[in-house]
Structure formats: structure tokens, C-alpha cells
Amino acid sequence: MTFHTLVGRPLVLMVTATGLAACQPALIYGERTSFNLAAVQVNDNVSEPVRINFGLLRSVATAAPPRGGMAGERPAMPVDPKSDKKTDGTANGEAVSVFSNFHLEDSGAGSSLPLVSDELTIRTRFASGEAAISVADKPRAVRAILGVGTVGPVSPEVRARQKKLVDCVRKIVDPKQLEVIAKELGVESTDNPQADNFEIRNRIGEKRPPELDRLESILKITCV
Amino acid sequence: MPNITAIRFIEDDLDLARITELVQAGEEDLGPLLAISACEHFPPRRLTCFTHEDKETPAGVLELRLCSGGAVPKVPGKTLLCIGRCFVAGSKQTVAAFR
């Protein structure tokens, strides 16, 4: 069995769509995700495991018109008479019309092999066009659209790691230590260590490897 | 005395069994469940918010049940904790938590 690669197709489709839409600026977004599982060695020896290869190939192609307008269509930038500087804060050619978030989760309980369970979830979100333009300079809004952390099903191994980290953090009372962990998690510290500790434990539940790797590294001395 | 609370967000596409597991994990990590509510403040995402209180979780396993037709089911041996709107397998339902 061989892998079936699709790396060229999204780009071909995008080039075609770009050509058709050439008369007006347009955001073109293409995505193709393929997952393949191939058994490469099966033999009669039942004591030897089947050897497999698996692969996840994801191609994303985006063509976004520059925010300042396409070449030849941009109006002249107004000039501040006091400073003789152009007042439009957008650089020519800067394209900011799309945000994307991709999340892959393997939540098959009991599976010891990665990505071979029946609980594989691929979740992609993106904001484009007017939606993206309206929030392009508002990081909090972008995070609200794409970055709200959620808890989800995880393997027993990942859950055990989360719980171990939570149990470790629960015992920490030093505000400075909590501040280091809070910063790693993107949690804003307050003047209430108990509240910070609680929020840190809350956020750990959202984390998967490799974020758990990083937290374990930070806490390894505390939790030994 | 009221305690500090925290909210955990769960996606809208999970079934009730998976949601229950996550809420039970939340009680292990944080404390007892205080409230359930649907959260549509981050469109187009639809999330369910589970509010947990920072205190020791009482003994007993938490269970979630659907309230079909708005009627709260009776669960023998369990006490009703809270009721709220929750996204279950993509649809907004009324769910009750028991311990």
C-alpha cells in the first residue's frame, strides 16, 4: 500500500479560482486534509506486532488581497500636512483578512497507538473577509473568536498527566511561583494567590501535549 | 461563605456521557459543580459553561441527565444540584446535575 499525497491539489484549485476571480479582490481559502493508514508488514508470527505507517497531510492555501487594496486600485494615501507622513496606518501589501485555528485531537479511550482510534477529531476555524477585517486590530476579539480554551475528551494517559499537574499546583502557595506558571498559561495574575491557583488549575484542564510537556518541565522541581 | 469560582468551557458536539466525564474531571481538579449554562457569546462557537466552586467536592459521583420536555427526572439516591442549558451532541438541551 502507498500513501496518497494530495499536496499539489489545493494549490492547483486555488490558482484556478484565483484566475476566475481575477477581476475583483477576493479572499480565496482552500484546505485539504488527508489521513492515511497503511500496513506495511504483516506476517504469520502472532508474537510480532503489525508494523504500520500513518500520516496526516494537511494543505492550506490562502490568497488574501492586500488590505490597502490591489495594486493599481489603491487610492492615494492621505498625507498629514504637519508631518508630511502618510496617515493610513496600513502598509501597502499587508494582508490581514484571515485568521485560522487548527486543532487535532485523538481522544480514543484505551488506544495505545496515536491516531488510530475511532475518536479522531479535526476542528478548523477561520474568520475571513469583513469578519476578520473588523477584528484584525483587536487581539482580544481574535482570541474570543478563535482562542477560547475548552476542555475535551483526552486519553487516560493525558488525563493522568493533567491531574498530576493539578495536584502539584494545588499545593503551591508562593505567589512568585504561581506567577511563573500563570504566565506560561496566559493567565493574568492578581493579588490573590488562592484565586490565581484556582484559575491555573482550571486552565491545565485545557492543555494537551506538548503544552503539558512544558508545564511538567517548569514544575518538575516542585513536583518531584 | 461564597468561594471563588471558575468556568470551564466545553464544545457543543459531545454526547452526554463525554460531557459527564469532563465535568467529573472538573470536580476533581477544581471543586463541586455550581452551575451549567449555554454560552453563545463567542459566535460562531457554541459552548457550554460549567461553573465550579473552589472547595472540597462532597462525596458521591456526579451524574448528568437530560430533562426531556423540561421535566426534571428523579434519580433514586441522588440529590439535584443544578439545572441549566447545555449543548449535547450539537443541540441545546436542558440538563440536570445530580450527586
Side-chain angles (χ1 to χ4, degrees), chain B:
Chain B
M1 178 182 165
N3 293 300
I4 296 168
T5 57
I7 296 176
R8 284 160 65 103
F9 297 93
I10 291 179
E11 300 281 355
D12 65 348
D13 56 351
L14 300 178
D15 61 29
L16 197 62
R18 289 287 177 156
I19 296 171
T20 304
E21 286 175 9
L22 291 172
V23 178
Q24 289 170 347
E27 292 208 318
E28 286 180 5
D29 293 349
L30 301 175
L33 178 70
L34 206 56
I36 302 170
S37 52
C39 176
E40 294 172 277
H41 296 75
F42 306 105
R45 299 180 77 180
R46 302 189 312 166
L47 306 170
T48 306
C49 302
F50 292 89
T51 304
H52 291 264
E53 192 179 8
D54 183 15
K55 68 179 192 181
E56 192 171 335
T57 303
V61 177
L62 179 135
E63 284 185 28
L64 297 179
R65 297 289 175 91
L66 291 174
C67 302
S68 301
V72 179
K74 294 253 188 303
V75 180
K78 298 259 182 198
T79 305
L80 177 65
L81 297 177
C82 59
I83 305 170
R85 300 286 271 165
C86 174
F87 289 106
V88 181
S91 69
K92 196 191 285 188
Q93 308 269 3
T94 302
V95 164
F98 296 84
R99 193 192 318 285

Side-chain angles (χ1 to χ4, degrees), chain A residues 61-199:
Chain A
T62 305
R67 189 174 176 187
M70 299 294 283
E73 297 175 356
R74 275 178 229 130
M77 287 188 190
V79 176
D80 183 347
K82 292 181 184 173
S83 64
D84 285 335
K85 289 184 179 174
K86 291 178 180 173
T87 59
D88 187 332
T90 304
N92 283 341
E94 181 182 333
V96 288
S97 341
V98 62
F99 296 100
S100 174
N101 168 272
F102 173 77
H103 180 74
L104 169 69
E105 187 168 304
D106 175 21
S107 56
S111 170
S112 60
L113 295 174
L115 300 181
V116 294
S117 70
D118 59 354
E119 300 279 347
L120 186 65
T121 303
I122 298 175
R123 185 175 289 124
T124 303
R125 297 186 186 88
F126 65 93
S128 64
E130 289 297 325
I133 291 172
S134 66
V135 299
D137 57 350
K138 301 180 182 67
R140 285 194 176 182
V142 172
R143 190 170 189 279
I145 292 171
L146 301 175
V148 174
T150 58
V151 295
V154 294
S155 67
E157 292 77 21
V158 171
R159 175 58 196 150
R161 290 175 68 185
Q162 290 173 341
K163 190 163 185 318
K164 191 172 178 185
L165 284 166
V166 164
D167 290 342
C168 173
V169 168
R170 199 192 305 270
K171 299 172 195 164
I172 298 176
V173 295
D174 179 8
K176 293 215 180 309
Q177 205 170 0
L178 288 173
E179 193 174 339
V180 169
I181 306 164
K183 192 174 177 183
E184 175 65 26
L185 291 167
V187 173
E188 191 174 337
S189 296
T190 67
D191 58 357
N192 186 331
Q194 181 190 355
D196 292 348
N197 190 305
F198 191 53
E199 188 59 32

